[in-house]
Amino acid sequence: MDTTFRDAHQSLLATRVRTHDLLKISPFVSHNFNTLYSLENWGGATFDVALRFLHECPWERLESMRKLIPNIPFQMLLRGANGVGYTSYPDNAVYKFCELSVKAGMDIFRVFDSLNYLPNLVLGIDAVGNAGGVVEAAISYSGDISDPSKKKYTLDYYMKLADELVKAGIHVLCIKDMAGLLKPRAAKLLISRLRERYPDLPIHVHTHDTSGAGVASMLECAYAGADAVDVAVDSMSGMTSQPSMGAVVASLMGHELDTGMNLNDVSQYSAFWEQTRTLYAPFECAVTMKSGNADVYQNEIPGGQYTNLQFQAFSLGLGDQFEAVKKAYREANLLLGDLIKVTPSSKVVGDLAQFMVQNKLSAADVEAGAENLSFPKSVIEFVQGYLGEPYGGFSEPLRTKMLKGLPTVKGRPGATMAPLDFAAIKSKLSEEHGPRITEYDVLSYAMYPKVTEDFLFFRNKYGPVDKLDTRIFLTGPKVGEEFEVQIEKGKTLHIKTLAMAEDLNVNGEREVFFELNGQLRSVMVRDQE
Ligand code: 3PY
Ligand code: ZN
């Protein structure tokens, strides 16, 4: 599977790659990579970031990619009962979300739960199955099964969970190594054991290359009988992203597992992304991250979160704080009982770690003073049970001290949530934003109410900004610059910026003059300097 369209940029470029650039390279992918198991191009953080920061509709992105790539299965990442969000949703929101995803063009759903909590996983599996999608159920990997001193997440734990998932009726089993902890020897052990137990079950493995061992691990998985492994095109691979496509393709050439993929095609694809990546320089993790780092085996921070935490620390001018955050992350995880850490449980651990660093608290301080500390909201909601139940139970007596008498949820959180009234949401949105509200907008609202409202206001005011090219979108045109925007097939706007007024008006706005298809126009723009 190629992750370039989703996890690679989520992990390297803060998920900022725009539909415009994805569509530019889509015909090339369609023509040259039709032997891929799948193209991961949706879900995870892309949904939220598209709406929130890129001001574009994620559903339209999916439909547009589908039109240009009709011949490669599409794959998305579904956070089980957490949909594409950070919390539990009512069941009908997850079912409807899957139904619409299939309608918009999705094929394969990688379903995981941030605590490997079976009832949440089963809900996601059922929702995908109901929608007619391919169910790829994922076991999130933590710890190290090749280290006998690690007692919580053992080979036996993973085999039992696999048994439960197979019983739930899945099409594909995924091992989701979101932090890149699956060392080559552990990979061989786990995949060969799964292959032995389930000779006919398709097995798919996902990893991140944070330590630098990703290619080695994926090759071991392939040799041990995995059917598909995840890679990103070379120029979007490595470090917190997936291992390199070119490296895996080249390593298997002439072997019985030869992928049959052409290195020249990979290289052309990579050249496109090498160029395109430069447009996203402000979001580039490579500004702060220069190399792989094997300390991930200790802190167990997932790929996307690793770059986020590092970026936050460096942008505050606290580069050395990142070392403290990584250390605190490890401690926070142990305090909470050694959790599976992946969105959203990884956010809980990250928030606790940052809280500890900011307040200069050691693990012992947290344990001793929990009754008197104001923990981040995500941490409190986690101990209340809003994400489900962690394997091995909640950490006591810390949980009770943190709760300070707050109510708790037993079992699967979504089971006790009232269903959403989609018709009511639609009429509310239509009243506020006009009659063009679709069922896709309704589901965006179900996942992210405030972000979707902001997006709808923005779209009504500014139109389809996803049609602008990325440099213009991110930095704006220069005075005197001419550019074109294709708003639909055969409809192109010619724009030339002419001048800006010297003075600001009373609202702090400046008049900007431009030509639109040869006609003089002006617009008031708030001055940000
Ligand atoms: C996500 O949930 O977005 C992830 O990438 C988890 O690994
Ligand atoms: Zn990932």
Side-chain angles (χ1 to χ4, degrees):
M1 178 169 93
D2 175 19
T3 66
T4 307
F5 282 36
R6 202 284 298 180
D7 205 359
H9 75 94
Q10 181 171 325
S11 302
L12 295 176
L13 301 171
T15 330
R16 290 309 202 282
V17 170
R18 302 172 61 240
T19 300
H20 189 83
D21 294 313
L22 296 171
L23 297 185
K24 236 195 244 173
I25 193 64
S26 288
F28 182 85
V29 172
S30 172
H31 292 144
N32 297 288
F33 291 99
N34 57 21
T35 59
L36 285 169
Y37 163 71
S38 62
L39 177 69
E40 191 198 35
N41 60 355
W42 213 61
T46 61
F47 196 91
D48 173 22
V49 172
L51 285 167
R52 191 190 297 260
F53 297 117
L54 307 180
H55 310 295
E56 49 181 62
C57 172
W59 303 97
E60 280 172 23
R61 172 186 294 192
L62 178 54
E63 286 182 329
S64 309
M65 289 187 292
R66 185 76 283 173
K67 281 192 192 122
L68 296 178
I69 312 179
N71 57 336
I72 302 173
F74 282 177
Q75 176 144 358
M76 72 163 290
L77 185 66
L78 182 75
R79 298 169 180 159
N82 305 315
V84 286
Y86 294 88
T87 184
S88 293
Y89 293 102
D91 292 355
N92 72 334
V94 180
Y95 279 81
K96 189 76 185 167
F97 183 88
C98 292
E99 195 188 306
L100 290 190
S101 304
V102 169
K103 187 173 163 194
M106 188 44 62
D107 300 298
I108 305 170
F109 294 67
R110 177 174 286 166
V111 183
F112 73 96
D113 176 67
S114 79
L115 298 170
N116 280 343
Y117 181 52
L118 196 61
N120 278 347
L121 275 162
V122 169
L123 185 274
I125 288 169
D126 196 50
V128 173
N130 244 321
V134 175
V135 181
E136 181 177 310
I139 296 179
S140 296
Y141 180 83
S142 196
D144 181 5
I145 57 164
S146 65
D147 178 350
S149 73
K150 299 220 166 175
K151 303 282 188 232
K152 185 161 183 181
Y153 300 108
T154 58
L155 181 57
D156 192 45
Y157 165 80
Y158 294 113
M159 295 306 292
K160 284 194 174 126
L161 191 49
D163 292 343
E164 294 298 333
L165 293 176
V166 169
K167 263 192 245 156
I170 62 177
H171 300 122
V172 181
L173 178 71
C174 168
I175 299 300
K176 176 172 163 57
D177 177 24
M178 58 281 173
L181 305 177
L182 187 67
K183 294 173 182 166
R185 210 152 43 81
K188 183 174 177 183
L189 200 61
L190 180 57
I191 303 305
S192 43
R193 188 66 77 80
L194 284 168
R195 180 43 78 225
E196 220 175 274
R197 172 109 48 127
Y198 295 107
D200 300 323
L201 178 69
I203 299 176
H204 186 173
V205 190
H206 175 73
T207 194
H208 287 252
D209 200 25
T210 313
S211 76
V215 172
S217 288
M218 291 306 93
L219 292 176
E220 284 298 342
C221 289
Y223 300 147
D227 299 282
V229 299
D230 289 359
V231 292
V233 75
D234 310 18
S235 56
M236 291 289 283
S237 73
M239 297 201 286
T240 52
S241 174
Q242 276 62 60
S244 150
M245 180 188 284
V248 170
V249 167
S251 300
L252 291 172
M253 272 176 179
H255 186 273
E256 59 179 313
L257 295 173
D258 195 328
T259 63
M261 289 167 76
N262 181 322
L263 264 191
N264 289 327
D265 295 339
V266 175
S267 167
Q268 272 189 65
Y269 184 32
S270 185
F272 169 83
W273 283 108
E274 191 161 20
Q275 275 290 317
T276 301
R277 194 171 164 171
T278 61
L279 300 169
Y280 295 93
F283 308 105
E284 185 62 80
C285 80
V287 172
T288 47
M289 185 174 292
K290 303 282 186 235
S291 65
N293 196 336
D295 69 7
V296 72
Y297 296 119
Q298 279 162 348
N299 55 52
E300 302 189 339
I301 304 176
Q305 190 181 28
Y306 195 100
T307 34
N308 263 345
L309 291 173
Q310 189 181 44
F311 189 78
Q312 278 168 25
F314 276 75
S315 55
L316 293 171
L318 301 168
D320 54 342
Q321 185 169 316
F322 185 50
E323 289 306 309
V325 170
K326 283 193 286 187
K327 186 166 165 283
Y329 192 98
R330 186 180 183 192
E331 289 172 357
N333 173 47
L334 295 175
L335 274 171
L336 295 173
D338 190 6
L339 304 178
I340 296 289
K341 295 168 290 299
V342 58
T343 319
S345 63
S346 50
K347 179 173 176 342
V348 172
V349 177
D351 289 351
L352 180 56
Q354 285 183 314
F355 174 79
M356 288 166 70
V357 172
Q358 274 153 14
N359 296 292
K360 299 193 171 48
L361 296 168
S362 67
D365 295 335
V366 172
E367 267 176 327
E371 275 126 332
N372 303 314
L373 292 168
S374 305
F375 290 101
K377 186 165 169 263
S378 65
V379 178
I380 296 300
E381 288 181 352
F382 163 70
V383 291
Q384 284 185 277
Y386 285 123
L387 297 185
E389 291 173 16
Y391 174 61
F394 289 98
S395 175
E396 288 291 6
L398 183 65
R399 180 200 198 193
T400 306
K401 288 191 199 173
M402 283 175 155
L403 281 171
K404 297 172 205 149
L406 283 172
T408 57
V409 182
K410 277 247 159 300
R412 187 171 67 76
T416 46
M417 294 169 88
L420 291 183
D421 182 344
F422 299 126
I425 296 176
K426 185 160 186 185
S427 48
K428 170 192 146 62
L429 292 178
S430 303
E431 244 168 59
E432 289 167 2
H433 304 280
R436 279 179 45 220
I437 297 298
T438 63
E439 55 181 349
Y440 292 132
D441 297 321
V442 171
L443 258 287
S444 297
Y445 182 90
M447 292 288 135
Y448 290 98
K450 166 86 171 69
V451 172
T452 299
E453 291 256 33
D454 291 350
F455 162 73
L456 293 170
F457 276 121
F458 187 100
R459 191 175 64 182
N460 275 344
K461 185 161 180 200
Y462 297 105
V465 294
D466 53 314
K467 305 291 186 288
L468 296 168
D469 83 28
T470 295
R471 185 183 62 77
I472 300 277
F473 174 77
L474 290 177
T475 57
K478 296 185 178 66
V479 171
E481 185 170 355
E482 280 182 69
F483 59 98
E484 293 189 340
V485 187
Q486 192 181 32
I487 48 171
E488 51 191 74
K489 212 166 182 183
K491 250 196 200 170
T492 301
L493 306 179
H494 299 267
I495 302 174
K496 181 175 182 184
T497 48
L498 297 174
M500 294 194 291
E502 292 266 300
D503 300 323
L504 297 181
N505 69 11
V506 286
N507 298 322
E509 294 165 334
R510 195 185 292 282
E511 191 162 15
V512 176
F513 299 89
F514 62 102
E515 261 177 36
L516 179 66
N517 290 346
Q519 307 242 354
L520 181 63
R521 298 277 185 90
S522 82
V523 67
M524 301 304 293
V525 178
R526 179 170 291 280
D527 198 277
Q528 301 212 337
E529 288 183 1

